[in-house]
Amino acid sequence: MDYLLVLLLLVPTAGAIVGAFLPGKIARTWALLVSLGTLAIALIGALTMEWHLPGTVNPQLPFPERPEWGIGVPSIGFTFSLGVDTISMALVLLTVGLTPLAILASFESIKDRAKEYYAWMLALLVAMLGVFVSRDLLLFYVFFELTLIPMFFIIGIWGGPERRFAAGKFFLFTFTGSVFTLAGALYLGLHYNTFDIASLVHYAQYGDNTPGHFIAAALTSTQRFWIFMAFLAGFSVKVPLFPVHTWLPLAHTEAPTAGSVILAGVLLKLGTYGLLRLAIPIGMMDANGVAFPAMCRFIGALCVIGVIYGALVAWVQQDIKKLVAYSSVSHLGFCVLGLVAMNAIGMQGSVLYMINHGISTGALFLVIGTIYDRYHTRDINKLSGLSKRMPIMAFFFVFFTMSSIGLPGTNGFVSEFLTILGAFTSKTLGIRFGVLAATGIVLGAVYMLHMAARVLFGPLKVPGHEDDSHTQHSALATGHSSHDDPGDLTIREISFLAPLAIAVIVLGVLPTPFLDSILDPVNSILHQPLRGAPVAATVPPPSSKSPLTPGLRYSEDPDSIAQQSGSSEYLRPGVIVVNPLLNGTAQGRALSPIASTPTSD
Amino acid sequence: MPSIPDFITTIWPELTLIAVACILFLLGIARSPAVRKFIPIIALLTLAAIFFCSLQGTGGILFSRQFPSIRSADMAQFLKMISSGITILFVLLAWPSNKEATGNAALEVGMETGEFFALMLLSIAGLFLVFSANDIILLFLGIELASIPTYIMVSVSRPLPQSQEAGVKYFFLGAMSAAIMLFGFSYLYGTTGMILLNSNGDGASIADIIARSEWHLTGWQTMSLVMLLCGFAFKMAAVPLHFYVADVYQGAATPVTAFLSYVPKASGLVAIIKILSVFGGPEFILAPQILHLLYALAVLTMTVGNVLATVQPHNIKRVLAYSSVAHSGYLLTGVTTALYCQNLPGTRTMALAGILFYLVAYGIMNAGAFGVLQLLPTKARSSAAGTPTGGDSAETFDDIAGQAKHHPVLGLAMATCCFSLIGLPLTVGFFGKVFLIKPALDAHLYGLVVLIMINAAISAAYYLRIVAAMYLRPESQASTEAATMSFAQPKPIMVAVALSAIGTLALGIILPVTTIVAGEAAAAAKIDIQIHGIPAQTAMANP
C-alpha cells in the first residue's frame, strides 16, 4: 500500500523504457497493457483510499502515509515524497483513464516511428501522474516541466502540417512561464527550508513556529504577492488564461488525436491543479482569508474575457479541431473562475470541471479523430451530413457535444452550474462575473451546435476523390455504395468512446459523492471548517502548535491529531454524507461559507 | 634550498602535465605511425591518473614556504579534479582516427598529432597553474599558458582558410587582452610593490596591503582591477569582449571548439574570483561600482549571448559559441551573487559552490553536444575522399536535419545535452541553475534571478531548435545524402558522448550522486585569502 504511488510512477517508466526497444507492432499492445496496468494500480489506490475521510488528518496530501524517502538533495531541502488527497486522486484517475483510450485511439493512425511514439506517451503518463502525486514542491516542478518533453515530440513528430511551429510554441510558452514558477518555488523553499507542500502552505500562512526549526514568519503581503505572481506566470500559461492562450489552439490542432486528447484532457489541468494546490493556498490565502481580492477579480476578469472571447473565436472556426481547441479556452475560463471565486462551491465546481472537461473534450477530440482518420479533413465546409454514413459516430458526437455544452443530466451541466454559482455567491467576484460568464454558456451552445449541425446533418458531403465542385454530387450519387465509404465506427473505436460516455452520465447524474469527497480539501484551502469539525479545531491560531510538527505530520491516527488540535470530536469517521445537489447541510454551508457556523449533521 | 618533496606535493599535476607534454612533443617526431598512435593514449592516461589521484582531495591548503608562488587550496584542488575529469572528454573527442570521422584533418595519425596533444596538455597545465597561482606573474603565465596553445590548436586543426583566419583572429585579440591584463598587473605591482597575492602569514602580499588600507582602493588600483577584469573577461568570452567567439569557434575543428568552450573559460572565471578576493578580501569588500560592473557584466553576457545564439541562421557551431557566452554569463551571476553577500558568509559559500557545480555541469553537458556533432555523418565528410574539404563535422542545421531517425542514440544524446543546457529537470543543468539561483535569492538579488530565468527561457528557443532539427525536421538534401554514406564512427568519440550523456542524466536523476558532487563543491568553495593576523581559515601548512 505504501509503495502504491511509487509503483504508479515506476510501472509506466519501466514500460516506456522497455517499449522503446520493442518492435512497432508489439509496442502499441505493450503500451496499452502498461497503461492498463497503471490504471489498475490507480484503481487499487482509489478503492483502498478512504474517500469519505479526505482531509481528516491533514487536508493537503495525506495519503498514503509515507515518510521521507531518503532520496533527495538535502542541501536544498529537496525530498522525493509522494502523496495524494481526493482532488489529486481524482485527477490521477482521469489521467490513467484517458491514457489507455488515447493509446487505443492511436493504433491505426500512428504508423511511423511507432515505438518511439508509445514510449513518449508512457513517459508523458509518468510526468502527468508525477505532478498529481508530488508532495514536494520541487518534485512537482520537476514533473511539471517533464511533461513538456514528451508532448514536444508527440506534437512535433506526429502532428499536422504546422507541427514543428506548434511544438516549439507550446514548449517555449509553457517553459517561459514556468521558469518563474521555479524561481518562486526556490524562494519559498529557501525561506522555509523545506519544499514540503503541506508545510509550505502552513508556514506561508502562519509562519514556522515549530520548536527546533529556524523561526520564519508568515509571508508578508509583498512576498505573498510576488510568490503568487510567480506561480501565476507558470500556471496561467498552462491553463491557459486569456492573453497567453495563443499556443493552445495551434498545439491542439496540430497534435495527433491522442496528443490532443491528453493535452486537453490532462495537461491543461496541470495548470488549474497548480493554481488550486499551490498558487491559491500559498499565494492567495493568508491567515485571515483571501489576501488579494483585487487580484482575484483581475484573474476573474481574464477568465470572463477568455470565456467569451474563446467562444466567439470558436464560433467562426472552419476547422473542427480548432473549434474544440478554442472551446477549451472558453471552458478553462469557467474552471479558473470557479477557483478564484474563493468559495467552496466554486472550487468544488472547478475541480469537477477539470474532470469533466477532460472527459468531454477528450472524447470530442477522439470523435473528431475518427472522422479525420476516414476523410483526412477537419474542415467544416467539406464535411456535412455525416450522420447518414456514420450513425454511431453521430450519436457519440452529439452526446459529447451535449456534455460539452452542459446539458442537464450530463456532467458538464453540474460543473458549469457550480462554477457560475460560485462566481455569483463569491465575495470577491460577485454577480457581474457570474452574469458575464453565463453568456459563455449560451455562446457555447451556439458554436457547438453550429458545428454539430453542419458536420452531422444536412446533405451528405465528404471530400471525394474528385475535385471540389463535384464532390457533393458524386458523394450523393454514390452514397453508401461508394467504394471509398470507410464505414462507421469500429469496435475498437466504440471501445474507447463508450467508457467516456458512461463517465459523462455517471458524473452528470450522481456528482454528489465526488463533490462531497473533495469538500474537505477545498474547505481546508479556504480555511473553512471541515465536515463535522468544530471551527476552532480546523483553523489553527497562529501561535498554536502546528500539527505539522515533524514526526507527527501525516500521522495515520486521527485521534492523535485530534488531541493535538485540542479537540475530542475532531471528526466522525465513517460517515458518507451523500447530499443531493441543492439539499442538505453540507451544501448549505458551502453556499454561504464564510458566515455560517456548522450545523450538526 | 627548496625542499623538493614539499614542492612536488603542491604542484604535481602541473608538473606531470608539462613533463608528459614534453614527452609527447618528442614522440610526435617519431617516424613510425605505430609510435605516434600511443600519443593520445598517453595523454588520456595522464589525465585519468591525475583525476583518480586527486579524487581523494588532501583538503586544506597546500603550499611551500620556500616557493610561495604556488598555493593549492581546497577550491584549486577541487577545480583540478573536475577539470582533469572533464578534459578527459576533450581528449576523447579529439582522438585521431581517419579524418573522415573526426572532422579534424590534422588529427589523422599524421605529423601534428604529437604537437596537438602536447599543446592540449600544456593548455590544461596552464589552467591548473591559474588555479594554484599565488603571485601575479604566475597567474599571468598560467592564463597565457592556457591560451597560447589554443591559438595553435585552432590553426592546425583544419587546413582551411577559415581555421587560419580564426587562429590569427584569436591570437591577435588574445594578445591584445593579454596586454591589457599585463598593464593591469603592472599597476597592481606599482601600487603595492608586491607580487604575491596571498601571504603565508607574514603579511607580505598584495592582499595584506590592500587589507591594511581597509580595502579602500586607490584610483590606480581600481584602474588595475578594471583592466584585469577586462583581460579575464576576454578569456571567458564575456560581453563586450565576446566578438571573436563565433568566428573562432566556427573556424576551429569541433573537438577544438569543445576544448575552447571550457578551458580558457574556466581560467578566466577562476582568475576573476581570485583577483576579486585579493582586492576585496575573503569577504569581497569592494566598492559598489565594482559590484555594479560585475552585475552588468553578468547580465549583459548571458542576455547578449542568448539573443545572438537565437538569431544565428544556420550554423550550429556559431549557436553553441554564443550559447557558451551565455553560460559564461550564468557563471558570472554566481560571482555577482558572491560579491553581493557581504554579510552572509553562508550564502557566499553557496554562491561559490554554485559556480563550481555549474562548471562541472557545463563541462559535462557541453562536451556531449559537440561530440554528437562530430559523430553525425555529413555530406562534406562523405565526399571528402582523400581531399580534406574541411567542413567535415556536422555544422549546420541542414546537416543534422532528421538525423535522429537514422541515429536514434545520437539523437537522444543530443536531446539530453540540449535539455540539460536549457536547464530542464532530470538533467544536471537543472541543478546547475538551481544552485546558482538559490544563493541569488538568498542575497535578495531578485532582479538577477528574474533575468536568469528570462535567459533560460530565451536559451530554450535555440537549443530546442537543435533538437527539433534532429527529430522534427524532414531530412534535408544534405543529410539524406550523408545518411546513405556509411562511415565508421570512432569509438573514443562515442565513449565521450556516452560519458557525457550518462553523466548529464546521472547527476540529474541519481540524487545521491548529485548530493555528493554538490557537497564536494560546497566544501571546496572557500576563498583562500589570509590576511595577516586574521587567518581566514586554518592552514594546513607543510613542515
Side-chain angles (χ1 to χ4, degrees):
Chain A
M1 191 61 232
D2 282 350
Y3 293 91
L4 207 60
L5 289 181
V6 182
L7 211 58
L8 191 67
L9 297 180
L10 272 184
V11 166
T13 311
I17 294 170
V18 173
F21 295 101
L22 291 175
K25 277 277 175 191
I26 309 174
R28 62 184 206 186
T29 321
W30 169 259
L32 185 63
L33 286 177
V34 171
S35 61
L36 287 174
T38 317
L39 173 64
I41 295 168
L43 282 178
I44 294 171
L47 292 176
T48 49
M49 187 171 175
E50 298 176 66
W51 284 81
H52 56 287
L53 293 178
T56 49
V57 180
N58 181 295
Q60 281 302 318
L61 295 162
F63 164 83
E65 311 301 333
R66 272 312 298 171
E68 310 307 332
W69 282 87
I71 313 172
V73 183
S75 64
I76 52 170
F78 172 41
T79 53
F80 189 85
S81 51
L82 307 175
V84 286
D85 68 353
T86 45
I87 296 179
S88 35
M89 194 66 200
L91 289 162
V92 164
L93 287 178
L94 174 71
T95 311
V96 294
L98 276 181
T99 306
L101 305 181
I103 288 175
L104 199 59
S106 327
F107 266 31
E108 297 302 323
S109 50
I110 304 295
K111 295 273 199 264
D112 186 33
R113 296 159 89 174
K115 60 183 177 179
E116 270 179 81
Y117 174 81
Y118 291 108
W120 284 126
M121 282 299 274
L122 291 176
L124 185 59
L125 177 61
V126 180
M128 294 184 303
L129 290 175
V131 172
F132 295 133
V133 302
S134 292
R135 231 179 57 188
D136 183 282
L137 183 52
L138 208 54
L139 194 65
F140 174 94
Y141 176 81
V142 165
F143 284 119
F144 189 79
E145 288 290 60
L146 275 187
T147 56
L148 294 182
I149 299 173
M151 205 64 209
F152 172 75
F153 286 115
I154 288 175
I155 298 175
I157 300 180
W158 295 277
E162 291 280 303
R163 58 184 179 274
R164 277 168 50 208
F165 180 58
K169 195 167 181 185
F170 160 75
F171 191 106
L172 291 178
F173 261 67
T174 24
F175 182 73
T176 307
S178 58
V179 285
F180 297 105
T181 306
L182 174 64
L186 285 177
Y187 179 81
L188 273 177
L190 187 79
H191 201 67
Y192 293 113
N193 206 20
T194 176
F195 279 104
D196 185 82
I197 293 175
S199 311
L200 280 178
V201 169
H202 185 83
Y203 296 159
Q205 293 173 6
Y206 302 108
D208 182 5
N209 304 317
T210 317
H213 279 198
F214 184 74
I215 301 292
L219 293 178
T220 65
S221 189
T222 317
Q223 284 172 321
R224 178 168 286 111
F225 179 76
W226 287 110
I227 292 284
F228 185 75
M229 292 310 280
F231 282 136
L232 189 66
F235 299 141
S236 63
V237 179
K238 199 85 174 181
V239 169
L241 284 181
F242 161 63
V244 284
H245 66 280
T246 55
W247 62 268
L248 181 131
L250 194 60
H252 273 59
T253 315
E254 296 304 319
T257 301
S260 308
V261 172
I262 298 292
L263 197 57
V266 188
L267 277 189
L268 305 186
K269 310 309 175 307
L270 302 186
T272 48
Y273 178 76
L275 286 174
L276 177 74
R277 177 69 74 208
L278 299 169
I280 288 178
I282 297 176
M284 187 52 87
M285 300 297 294
D286 62 12
N288 305 318
V290 182
F292 310 113
M295 196 68 208
C296 281
R297 279 193 288 278
F298 172 67
I299 299 173
L302 292 184
C303 294
V304 170
I305 296 173
V307 164
I308 296 171
Y309 170 81
L312 289 176
V313 177
W315 196 355
V316 298
Q317 293 306 314
Q318 300 303 308
D319 182 326
I320 319 175
K321 224 171 165 183
K322 207 166 230 171
L323 192 150
V324 179
Y326 274 108
S327 85
S328 282
V329 177
S330 181
H331 287 167
L332 267 295
F334 285 111
C335 191
V336 178
L337 191 69
L339 287 181
V340 294
M342 303 303 285
N343 55 18
I345 195 150
M347 280 202 183
Q348 274 177 300
S350 181
V351 174
L352 187 61
Y353 211 122
M354 296 182 206
I355 310 291
N356 289 341
H357 179 261
I359 294 171
S360 53
T361 307
L364 274 174
F365 277 122
L366 287 172
V367 175
I368 294 168
T370 65
I371 299 177
Y372 185 75
D373 284 349
R374 284 167 176 72
Y375 300 109
H376 300 286
T377 182
R378 296 184 303 255
D379 192 336
I380 289 185
N381 298 322
K382 292 185 181 165
L383 294 167
S384 171
L386 283 182
S387 63
K388 295 192 179 65
R389 275 208 182 164
M390 305 171 70
I392 305 178
M393 186 281 292
F395 164 73
F396 281 115
F397 197 120
V398 173
F399 185 83
F400 291 122
T401 302
M402 293 306 154
S403 157
S404 182
I405 293 172
L407 193 75
T410 62
N411 58 351
F413 169 70
V414 186
S415 45
E416 228 159 42
F417 182 78
L418 287 180
T419 48
I420 290 181
L421 191 60
F424 265 113
T425 56
S426 164
K427 292 202 162 177
T428 53
L429 298 182
I431 195 157
R432 280 169 299 169
F433 289 86
V435 169
L436 285 171
T439 61
I441 299 184
V442 180
L443 290 171
V446 171
Y447 65 77
M448 289 306 287
L449 291 175
H450 171 76
M451 169 179 78
R454 289 192 60 181
V455 172
L456 296 178
F457 305 111
L460 177 65
K461 179 164 80 169
V462 293
H465 44 276
E466 291 161 30
D467 68 62
D468 283 342
S469 58
H470 298 294
T471 306
Q472 194 172 341
H473 291 295
S474 66
L476 278 172
T478 50
H480 286 247
S481 60
S482 164
H483 69 278
D484 64 340
D485 179 4
D488 206 346
L489 297 189
T490 62
I491 301 290
R492 180 181 65 87
E493 286 164 335
I494 293 172
S495 71
F496 63 64
L497 290 173
L500 293 173
I502 294 168
V504 164
I505 292 294
V506 169
L507 279 174
V509 176
L510 203 63
T512 327
F514 176 69
L515 286 176
D516 230 45
S517 73
I518 59 174
L519 182 62
D520 273 354
V522 162
N523 274 339
S524 82
I525 290 171
L526 293 167
H527 298 185
Q528 295 300 307
L530 303 186
R531 229 173 341 178
V535 183
T538 52
V539 183
S543 59
S544 80
K545 256 191 215 164
S546 133
L548 298 169
T549 314
L552 282 176
R553 53 177 126 151
Y554 313 118
S555 159
E556 281 250 275
D557 181 9
D559 288 342
S560 72
I561 294 298
Q563 284 157 14
Q564 273 267 316
S565 316
S567 159
S568 54
E569 37 174 346
Y570 188 76
L571 77 146
R572 278 166 295 155
V575 183
I576 306 179
V577 188
V578 183
N579 291 321
L581 185 58
L582 291 170
N583 184 20
T585 52
Q587 202 59 50
R589 268 208 306 283
L591 274 169
S592 52
I594 294 165
S596 76
T597 53
T599 53
S600 63
D601 286 318
Chain B
M1 175 193 144
S3 111
I4 297 300
D6 176 11
F7 181 75
I8 286 175
T9 49
T10 317
I11 54 164
W12 62 269
E14 289 90 333
L15 291 178
T16 318
L17 284 170
I18 292 169
V20 174
C22 294
I23 296 170
L24 294 189
F25 274 126
L26 289 177
L27 284 181
I29 58 170
R31 197 166 290 168
S32 146
V35 177
R36 296 202 298 266
K37 266 191 182 145
F38 282 103
I39 289 168
I41 300 175
I42 295 172
L44 184 70
L45 288 179
T46 312
L47 286 171
I50 292 171
F51 178 63
F52 285 111
C53 290
S54 53
L55 264 185
Q56 78 282 10
T58 36
I61 299 163
L62 295 174
F63 68 93
S64 146
R65 266 180 209 292
Q66 291 82 6
F67 188 61
S69 295
I70 290 285
R71 189 178 164 96
S72 191
D74 294 299
M75 194 191 274
Q77 287 164 28
F78 179 80
L79 283 166
K80 283 181 194 176
M81 181 184 80
I82 61 167
S83 299
S84 52
I86 287 164
T87 44
I88 289 176
L89 296 177
F90 298 139
V91 172
L92 287 171
L93 287 182
W95 204 271
S97 47
N98 58 335
K99 67 172 159 258
E100 281 79 20
T102 54
N104 191 342
L107 291 186
E108 202 178 2
V109 192
M111 293 313 283
E112 293 97 341
T113 310
E115 287 88 334
F116 186 87
F117 283 96
L119 289 170
M120 200 180 235
L121 290 192
L122 280 182
S123 178
I124 298 166
L127 180 64
F128 283 16
L129 272 182
V130 175
F131 296 157
S132 50
N134 191 34
D135 76 33
I136 52 178
I137 295 173
L138 210 58
L139 184 57
F140 177 74
L141 286 180
I143 287 181
E144 287 308 297
L145 186 56
S147 304
I148 291 173
T150 58
Y151 307 147
I152 309 168
M153 282 158 69
V154 169
S155 297
V156 303
S157 62
R158 294 201 293 187
L160 285 179
Q162 297 100 292
S163 304
Q164 309 310 316
E165 182 203 328
V168 170
K169 194 177 265 181
Y170 193 27
F171 170 73
F172 280 119
L173 291 174
M176 182 71 194
S177 84
I180 295 173
M181 201 192 305
L182 206 51
F183 205 11
F185 277 129
S186 74
Y187 277 161
L188 190 54
Y189 176 70
T191 53
T192 59
M194 294 281 165
I195 57 163
L196 275 192
L197 294 174
N198 185 10
S199 73
N200 290 334
D202 56 4
S205 74
I206 297 172
D208 285 290
I209 287 176
I210 294 176
R212 257 173 248 148
S213 67
E214 296 190 328
W215 292 285
H216 288 302
L217 302 184
T218 63
W220 295 117
Q221 283 166 340
T222 310
M223 194 190 277
S224 135
L225 176 57
V226 171
M227 283 196 276
L228 289 176
L229 286 177
C230 180
F232 301 147
F234 176 86
K235 300 295 172 201
M236 279 194 83
V239 175
L241 298 148
H242 66 287
F243 288 103
Y244 68 95
V245 169
D247 288 346
V248 172
Y249 282 30
Q250 187 189 0
T254 310
V256 180
T257 313
F259 190 82
L260 288 182
S261 70
Y262 183 79
V263 171
K265 206 174 279 292
S267 77
L269 176 75
V270 173
I272 285 180
I273 296 175
K274 203 159 228 177
I275 212 74
L276 285 173
S277 66
V278 166
F279 275 92
E283 288 169 356
F284 293 122
I285 305 166
L286 289 160
Q289 288 87 340
I290 302 292
L291 267 55
H292 297 329
L293 179 68
L294 259 293
Y295 196 117
L297 195 66
V299 170
L300 271 180
T301 304
M302 58 185 179
T303 312
V304 172
N306 275 324
V307 169
L308 287 180
T310 313
V311 300
Q312 289 306 309
H314 60 261
N315 193 303
I316 299 176
K317 273 165 88 175
R318 287 181 89 87
V319 171
L320 288 177
Y322 283 119
S323 96
S324 88
V325 173
H327 285 279
S328 291
Y330 298 141
L331 288 164
L332 282 172
T333 61
V335 179
T336 310
T337 310
L339 294 189
Y340 275 87
C341 306
Q342 306 212 320
N343 302 316
L344 306 160
T347 309
R348 186 184 313 122
T349 310
M350 267 168 44
L352 292 170
I355 300 171
L356 297 182
F357 189 88
Y358 204 85
L359 261 184
V360 180
Y362 177 64
I364 294 176
M365 58 201 182
N366 199 40
F370 283 110
V372 174
L373 286 188
Q374 280 181 265
L375 285 175
L376 285 173
T378 65
K379 185 172 169 247
R381 167 153 58 217
S382 45
S383 68
T387 52
T389 55
D392 16 11
S393 163
E395 277 198 9
T396 62
F397 284 106
D398 282 342
D399 285 341
I400 65 166
Q403 293 277 22
K405 212 180 234 177
H406 304 284
H407 304 276
V409 179
L410 288 182
L412 217 53
M414 190 56 137
T416 307
C417 292
C418 282
F419 286 139
S420 180
L421 287 161
I422 296 175
L424 282 187
L426 293 200
T427 59
V428 65
F430 174 68
F431 286 109
K433 290 251 166 45
V434 167
F435 288 134
L436 281 180
I437 293 165
K438 204 176 164 238
L441 285 171
D442 211 7
H444 305 290
L445 293 169
Y446 304 122
L448 191 64
V449 173
V450 169
L451 287 166
I452 296 176
M453 285 319 191
I454 291 172
N455 271 290
I458 301 174
S459 76
Y462 59 85
Y463 288 124
L464 215 56
R465 208 171 141 215
I466 299 176
V467 179
M470 287 196 77
Y471 274 93
L472 313 187
R473 269 181 67 171
E475 289 158 81
S476 64
Q477 198 192 348
S479 64
T480 320
E481 283 174 32
T484 54
M485 312 296 291
S486 67
F487 82 106
Q489 290 171 329
K491 294 277 184 306
I493 303 179
M494 290 169 87
V495 170
V497 170
L499 281 177
S500 161
I502 291 169
T504 302
L505 286 176
L507 280 170
I509 295 173
I510 308 172
L511 298 180
V513 181
T514 319
T515 312
I516 292 171
V517 178
E520 287 293 315
K526 293 175 195 152
I527 291 297
D528 166 45
I529 288 293
Q530 277 180 290
I531 307 303
H532 182 50
I534 324 161
Q537 53 175 271
T538 46
M540 196 197 77
N542 290 316

